[in-house]
Amino acid sequence: MIFRHVHDVTYRYFAEHVQRQWQNNAVPALYLFSKLRAPLAVRYIKPGAIVVPGLSDSHAHILEYGSTLQLPLEGTKTINETVARVRNYILSNADIRSDKSKFVLGGGWDHTSWPNGAWPTAADLDSDPVIHGRPVVLQSKDCHALWVSQRALDSSLPFPEEVDGGLIIRDDSGKPTGMLLDNAQELVNQPKLLEDDLLKRFNSAIQAAVRYGLTSIHDAGLDPVSLNLFKKEAGRRTLPIRIYGMSYFDENGEYWGNTTKPIIASGHERLTARSVKIFADGALRTGGAALYEPYADNPQTSGFMRLDKEVLFQYIPLFLRDGWQVNIHSIGDRANGIVLDAFQASLSGVNVTALRPRLEHAQIMTKSDMLRLGKLGVIASIQPTHAISDMLFAEDRLGPERVKNLYAFRTLIESGARITLGSDSPVEDLNPLAGFYAAISRLTPGGDSPHGPDGWFPEQRLTREEALRGMTIDPAYASFTESILGSLEVGKRADYVVLSQNIMTIPLNEILSTQVLATAVDGDLVYGTI
């Protein structure tokens, strides 16, 4: 039973009557209540199909995902194959092919899946005659590295010798190779995107989202341009889905927490922006996650923090004081320890339930920090598909003991932490069923893992109920909307999804074949039919 809203006793009576009828009916029925006193409409779903609350992605990057749809580079197995994909993109787009000054933008390449895991270079791009001389900027799969052509490199020089919280990869002679990590990415000069470009990315991403059954996305604020676009769209039309936007934090800018008002349920209750996103460290895939001990496969480094820890101790309490939720990107065990130190110092005497701070990723943590996370009441915003992507290289990178604390979802829950699930798209697949499958199986889509068919560290698997809660009521809580979203209850908004089969009971290997038959927001279908 789905309701746009249930406002009075009359509707409650009808709801109870409908429920009794549904329980006695062998064919599930979907009942849609419209406005007050409107006629009762009945819609039937196919036998075997089920209705679940609208699915939420607690950590994704909408415009970045839309960008990768234009020139997707994920899945390539070599540098040469990736270069060939860029060349074919240029040749198939007449406006770019005819103008060598136009920037070629794409993303999704993953050097860890290439032989020897070697970093690509500008020379690799310019070795192709079609690409040579063009400005090319390619974002990595984890969004923590840029691979650029020589022309894009030259237009951004000179570079400083070092970058705080970032790395310029250089050759033996000290020249930049065309690879820039984390904060060093900001050194690359790129054209300012026009609003039409941004809308094309936005619309592509949202169309994909509703096809996957997503009714809500928490946009994790990688690019400050994103939130400005969402505000404009919410002001001139009803957004197709709900967006919970995280405001970008610039440590070199002025503090804005006391001069900017949070946005709450704007644009027909489709846009909220009441949180700030802060980056603590880099990523495991690119070797930038801040660890206590050096990387097992690169003992010369233990990663790095993207900002000084004093910044965390200074700004977390300020944002909390001014009523902002604080969400911190933190991946390595050292980074997570530092962030929890800052949270612990900042949350003393604070109503944690009212502010709901979040640790975005929380990928590798010591057991003592997992316990501390639970005691502090900080939400762990995790991405299950990262686990099945990283399990192929994680032990080589971290060693056989430290890797046991990576993506330790069960340990987090048993430590008392509240979790919420996301994709980190475009880093991973936007499809929430991929995250559901990864959370409960810890297997590749083909059913494999380095530890066999029971999954990678199978003791860390989530139950199906935990995984579904992590995509429904838990993200609603993490975005302060559990009173109106996240479950199918009288009085809540009618955000729901119709799935072709029951993901709570079907065999594990059938989950990824489940189809989204319909997606509804506020009772209105935004995808599919019933």
Side-chain angles (χ1 to χ4, degrees):
M1 292 157 301
I2 313 300
F3 310 90
R4 186 184 299 274
H5 266 312
V6 178
H7 293 280
D8 59 14
V9 176
T10 301
Y11 268 56
R12 185 175 297 277
Y13 166 80
F14 276 119
E16 292 168 353
H17 173 72
V18 166
Q19 185 173 25
R20 288 193 297 271
Q21 294 299 313
W22 176 80
Q23 288 171 340
N24 295 325
N25 195 333
V27 180
L30 179 65
Y31 296 85
L32 301 178
F33 284 75
S34 57
K35 301 289 186 181
L36 276 174
R37 312 272 186 236
L40 178 66
V42 180
R43 299 289 185 268
Y44 292 93
I45 60 175
K46 297 178 181 179
I50 65 166
V51 182
V52 298
L55 302 177
S56 293
D57 189 321
S58 293
H59 186 113
H61 304 279
I62 295 173
L63 294 189
E64 288 75 14
Y65 176 70
S67 174
T68 61
L69 295 177
Q70 297 174 40
L71 173 52
L73 300 175
E74 188 165 0
T76 58
K77 300 300 182 184
T78 64
I79 290 176
N80 288 340
E81 183 184 344
T82 313
V83 170
R85 196 173 291 187
V86 176
R87 178 185 67 242
N88 292 337
Y89 173 77
I90 294 170
L91 293 175
S92 62
N93 286 270
D95 59 330
I96 296 176
R97 185 176 68 242
S98 62
D99 186 352
K100 294 194 71 171
S101 68
K102 280 199 170 184
F103 271 70
V104 178
L105 306 175
W109 57 269
D110 177 14
H111 72 294
T112 65
S113 65
W114 300 340
N116 303 320
W119 289 115
T121 66
D124 292 319
L125 289 168
D126 283 280
S127 65
D128 186 286
V130 173
I131 300 173
H132 183 79
R134 297 178 184 269
V136 180
V137 179
L138 307 175
Q139 183 82 64
S140 64
K141 175 179 169 66
D142 62 7
C143 295
H144 285 263
L146 285 182
W147 172 20
V148 303
S149 66
Q150 192 61 49
R151 181 165 177 180
L153 196 63
D154 291 341
S155 67
S156 303
L157 295 174
F159 289 156
E161 286 300 312
E162 295 183 352
V163 178
D164 289 338
L167 182 65
I168 303 167
I169 296 182
R170 302 176 186 272
D171 61 21
D172 292 340
S173 66
K175 293 178 60 178
T177 64
M179 181 58 50
L180 301 102
L181 310 185
D182 287 294
N183 287 354
Q185 297 176 95
E186 298 170 10
L187 300 174
V188 177
N189 292 328
Q190 300 187 54
K192 185 176 181 180
L193 293 172
L194 301 176
E195 188 164 319
D196 284 348
D197 298 320
L198 297 173
L199 284 174
K200 183 183 295 185
R201 295 181 179 188
F202 177 77
N203 290 329
S204 296
I206 297 303
Q207 288 168 17
V210 296
R211 286 199 307 271
Y212 287 137
L214 289 168
T215 59
S216 174
I217 292 179
H218 300 190
D219 188 271
L222 187 67
D223 188 337
V225 171
S226 299
L227 188 54
N228 288 330
L229 179 71
F230 304 155
K231 290 176 184 177
K232 285 184 180 179
E233 287 299 286
R236 62 190 173 198
R237 64 164 172 154
T238 300
L239 294 172
I241 66 171
R242 304 186 198 280
I243 297 175
Y244 185 73
M246 306 180 197
S247 296
Y248 184 83
F249 172 74
D250 179 2
E251 64 174 304
N252 298 313
E254 292 186 9
Y255 175 68
W256 47 262
N258 58 347
T259 58
T260 302
K261 288 186 177 181
I263 299 170
I264 299 178
S266 175
H268 299 89
E269 300 187 8
R270 300 289 175 88
L271 177 65
T272 292
R274 58 181 299 176
S275 65
V276 59
K277 167 75 176 300
I278 300 174
F279 283 89
D281 66 342
L284 186 67
R285 188 177 295 272
T286 47
L291 305 176
Y292 283 117
E293 301 296 333
Y295 282 85
D297 60 352
N298 186 9
Q300 295 178 333
T301 181
S302 56
F304 49 82
M305 296 290 289
R306 288 181 62 163
L307 43 68
D308 293 333
K309 67 178 183 179
E310 288 77 15
V311 174
L312 297 172
F313 281 85
Q314 177 184 356
Y315 285 103
I316 290 177
L318 290 178
F319 279 112
L320 293 174
R321 178 201 68 190
D322 292 322
W324 292 85
Q325 182 189 50
V326 178
N327 304 342
I328 301 184
H329 163 112
S330 189
I331 290 180
D333 52 8
R334 177 162 59 97
N336 279 302
I338 291 171
V339 171
L340 287 179
D341 287 343
F343 271 137
Q344 188 168 351
S346 304
L347 292 172
S348 178
V350 170
N351 183 344
V352 179
T353 303
L355 295 172
R356 306 182 189 184
R358 294 168 45 161
L359 204 56
E360 303 296 323
H361 306 304
Q363 285 185 8
I364 178 168
M365 302 179 72
T366 64
K367 286 186 170 60
S368 61
D369 275 341
M370 291 188 216
L371 287 169
R372 188 159 55 133
L373 179 74
K375 289 179 180 178
L376 288 173
V378 176
I379 297 167
S381 173
I382 60 175
Q383 298 76 44
T385 41
H386 281 334
I388 63 172
S389 289
D390 293 2
M391 67 184 180
L392 304 177
F393 67 83
E395 186 165 336
D396 289 341
R397 185 141 296 178
L398 296 173
E401 287 303 314
R402 188 168 44 177
V403 74
K404 295 176 183 177
N405 292 329
L406 180 67
Y407 303 115
F409 302 149
R410 171 64 48 208
T411 305
L412 281 172
I413 289 179
E414 292 176 350
S415 298
R418 187 160 190 163
I419 64 171
T420 184
L421 308 186
S423 68
D424 202 10
S425 180
V427 181
E428 304 290 354
D429 192 345
L430 186 65
N431 184 357
L433 292 180
F436 181 86
Y437 170 84
I440 67 175
S441 73
R442 296 176 74 95
L443 294 166
T444 67
D448 304 319
S449 87
H451 294 165
D454 288 335
W456 185 63
F457 293 110
E459 67 276 10
Q460 298 293 348
R461 293 177 300 195
L462 299 181
T463 67
R464 296 192 192 211
E465 182 178 347
E466 287 167 341
L468 185 60
R469 287 183 61 89
M471 297 188 297
T472 53
I473 193 64
D474 290 330
Y477 176 84
S479 58
F480 303 90
T481 54
E482 74 278 10
S483 65
I484 61 168
L485 301 175
S487 59
L488 303 180
E489 297 182 64
V490 173
K492 287 195 172 184
R493 309 299 304 199
D495 292 7
Y496 65 89
V497 179
V498 182
L499 300 176
S500 63
Q501 50 189 348
N502 190 346
I503 60 173
M504 307 304 285
T505 60
I506 61 175
L508 192 65
N509 62 4
E510 295 180 15
I511 288 173
L512 293 178
S513 65
T514 304
Q515 301 295 311
V516 173
L517 302 180
T519 305
V521 180
D522 280 329
D524 296 323
L525 290 182
V526 291
Y527 172 75
T529 58
I530 298 175

